[in-house]
Amino acid sequence: MFAVIESGGKQHRVTEGDVLHLEKLEANVGDDIEFDRVLLVSTDDAVAVGNPLVEGTKVTGKVMSNVLLKKVRGVKFKRRKNYLRRFGHRQHATVVKIESIIQEG
C-alpha cells in the first residue's frame, strides 16, 4: 500500500516505514503529525484517486528531527564587468518517519 501526499507544495510517494526530508514543519522532535492532503491511495486491489483529495484518508507520521540540508552553492557573474559573487544556502528540513496510512470508508 502506498499513498501520494502533499506537503510544502511538493508531492511525495510514501509507504509505511519511509523516512522523508520535508520542508520545515512547525513541529517538535517526537511529535505525531497528520497529513490530510492525500492525493492518491493504492492498495493491492484498488487505486483511489482524489479530485483533488481522497476523502476520509490520512497519513500519520512521527517527527524524527529538524535538520539543515546540504549547502547549495550559487554564483552571480557578469562578463567583462569585473563582477563575481558567490553565495550558499542551507535549507531547513524536517525528517519524518511515516507510521501508517489510514483509509476510512
Side-chain angles (χ1 to χ4, degrees), residues 21-25 65-69 91-95:
H21 288 80
L22 301 175
E23 294 281 330
K24 184 176 180 185
L25 302 171
S65 63
N66 291 311
V67 296
L68 284 171
L69 297 178
Q91 185 70 32
H92 291 274
T94 301
V95 180

Side-chain angles (χ1 to χ4, degrees), residues 67-81:
V67 296
L68 284 171
L69 297 178
K70 197 162 80 169
K71 183 178 277 192
V72 176
R73 297 191 179 268
V75 174
K76 285 186 173 184
F77 175 77
K78 295 188 190 294
R79 63 185 186 150
R80 299 188 305 264
K81 305 297 181 193

Side-chain angles (χ1 to χ4, degrees), residues 10-77:
K10 298 175 182 68
Q11 296 177 4
H12 304 276
R13 181 185 187 272
V14 297
T15 58
E16 292 181 9
D18 281 354
V19 176
L20 297 174
H21 288 80
L22 301 175
E23 294 281 330
K24 184 176 180 185
L25 302 171
E26 296 300 323
N28 296 321
V29 176
D31 287 352
D32 291 326
I33 194 159
E34 188 175 288
F35 300 99
D36 55 353
R37 295 195 53 84
V38 180
L39 305 173
L40 180 138
V41 175
S42 174
T43 59
D44 295 332
D45 55 347
V47 176
V49 179
N51 188 12
L53 303 175
V54 179
E55 297 296 326
T57 303
K58 60 185 174 181
V59 176
T60 60
K62 187 174 209 72
V63 176
M64 306 300 283
S65 63
N66 291 311
V67 296
L68 284 171
L69 297 178
K70 197 162 80 169
K71 183 178 277 192
V72 176
R73 297 191 179 268
V75 174
K76 285 186 173 184
F77 175 77

